Amino acid sequence: MVEKLGIESSKTDEMTNLLYSNYGTTIAGLRAIGYDFDYEEYYRHCCFFLFPHHFQMANDFVHGKLPYENLKPDPVLRNLLLSLPHKKLIFTNSDKVHTIKTLERLGLEDCFEGITCFETLNPINNGTVCDDQENIEAATSRATNPTPKIGLKISEIFDIIQHFAQPDPTTVLPTTPIICKPSEHAIELALKIANLNPQTTLFFEDSVRNIQAGKRVGLHTVLVGKSYRVKGADYAMESIHNLREAVPELWETDIKAHVIACPGTQKLAVETSVMA
């Protein structure tokens, strides 16, 4: 933000918090308020990195080198995932390279059938995308994704700090051209690309905001990292390692709709999918 976009260093913390809280990710917020930059370069230099029990933001300019050595293999989670008799997919706001590196460090690279990542919903300019291009183009053909602004002048940047410091009811936040969680459109698009029915899909998240968005589009939801349920969460578990105890029905060959909080559906067997 400082070295590439020219933002004052004294404003970055407050701006990052406002962008994340209003747009779901900093990159989506930066594009919304008018900054233009290369997506690939952004993800090389500023990224979220995953630890076994929480997410942490990389605040330093890391030049594409994240401390992946802090991630250790998780054989307990690996055994859980491999024993789960359902299709398992990853849906992440991060980029594909980071996602794969993280999975490899955790020893989970062969536990999922697919990845829907940042490039899937926001194809990079050079044509590099995560999944099959034809599927993406078909799924996004009716997407309302604004064309990114190019060559904006500094005077055209929306001052989000000023907007919240002195609220003006006549001013609304600009929309972002980036598709990502917690946008309901992003979740619906990810489901369409993966050919999943939300009524037979269990959605795992550590973000309450993402859980609630998932519930609004018809997913069945599991909040990870909390021992109590919140609005929008069908299940809650302190750790993903508690999955078998929290949702034992996932290992049953005949899953009853009422047991897994799927009112109005018929009995489910192999149709159930798991998206994390």
Side-chain angles (χ1 to χ4, degrees):
M1 292 171 71
V2 174
E3 297 192 21
K4 294 294 181 179
L5 302 181
I7 299 171
E8 294 179 28
S9 59
S10 61
K11 295 182 177 181
T12 56
D13 286 347
E14 183 177 6
M15 183 180 290
T16 298
N17 288 333
L18 288 172
L19 295 175
Y20 178 78
S21 61
N22 287 278
Y23 292 98
T25 63
T26 303
I27 186 174
L30 286 170
R31 286 307 316 273
I33 64 176
Y35 287 99
D36 181 38
F37 48 86
D38 181 81
Y39 293 166
E40 282 191 312
E41 185 175 32
Y42 177 92
Y43 272 112
R44 285 198 303 270
H45 291 163
C46 182
C47 191
F48 284 86
F49 51 94
L50 173 67
F51 286 86
H53 303 295
H54 67 283
F55 285 95
Q56 177 176 322
M57 186 172 186
N59 292 312
D60 297 324
F61 193 66
V62 294
H63 301 283
K65 175 63 176 175
L66 293 175
Y68 291 102
E69 63 273 9
N70 290 338
L71 291 170
K72 306 301 179 185
D74 191 338
V76 174
L77 180 55
R78 175 180 172 79
N79 289 335
L80 272 174
L81 291 172
L82 292 178
S83 70
L84 195 60
H86 305 292
K87 183 178 181 179
K88 297 173 286 293
L89 301 168
I90 289 178
F91 175 29
T92 174
N93 283 340
S94 189
D95 65 304
K96 185 179 182 181
V97 171
H98 167 69
T99 304
I100 292 176
K101 283 185 177 180
T102 300
L103 288 172
E104 289 175 345
R105 295 294 302 185
L106 293 171
L108 308 177
E109 66 274 15
D110 58 344
C111 294
F112 297 90
E113 284 77 8
I115 298 173
T116 298
C117 58
F118 178 85
E119 297 100 318
T120 314
L121 305 185
N122 305 275
I124 301 299
N125 293 334
N126 65 8
T128 301
V129 292
C130 281
D131 298 311
D132 182 73
Q133 184 66 43
E134 292 183 0
N135 290 338
I136 296 168
E137 290 175 353
T140 58
S141 61
R142 292 186 291 273
T144 55
N145 185 20
T147 302
K149 299 177 182 179
I150 303 297
L152 285 168
K153 298 178 180 178
I154 192 67
S155 60
E156 297 176 6
I157 300 298
F158 181 85
D159 191 340
I160 192 169
I161 294 178
Q162 178 69 16
H163 174 78
F164 284 98
Q166 297 180 347
D168 180 351
T170 65
T171 303
V172 297
L173 284 173
T175 59
T176 180
I178 287 179
I179 303 175
C180 64
K181 297 180 289 185
S183 162
E184 293 174 34
H185 172 60
I187 297 174
E188 290 170 339
L189 196 53
L191 288 166
K192 186 173 183 179
I193 291 170
N195 193 29
L196 295 180
N197 178 358
Q199 294 299 319
T200 58
T201 301
L202 201 56
F203 183 47
F204 290 77
E205 261 287 350
D206 68 343
S207 163
V208 172
R209 179 170 49 186
N210 292 349
I211 281 285
Q212 293 173 344
K215 175 53 64 177
R216 288 194 295 271
V217 303
L219 286 162
H220 308 291
T221 55
V222 182
L223 178 61
V224 181
K226 302 287 185 182
S227 57
Y228 53 89
R229 291 196 303 159
V230 299
K231 182 180 179 181
D234 296 311
Y235 299 92
M237 62 184 72
E238 189 71 33
S239 167
I240 191 65
H241 295 138
N242 302 132
L243 177 58
R244 190 183 288 272
E245 292 77 21
V247 198
E249 299 84 6
L250 286 174
W251 279 265
E252 294 180 6
T253 56
D254 183 25
I255 304 175
K256 295 183 179 180
H258 295 291
V259 175
I260 62 168
C262 306
T265 63
Q266 301 299 316
K267 290 184 178 181
L268 311 178
V270 294
E271 292 295 322
T272 302
S273 303
V274 176
M275 187 163 66

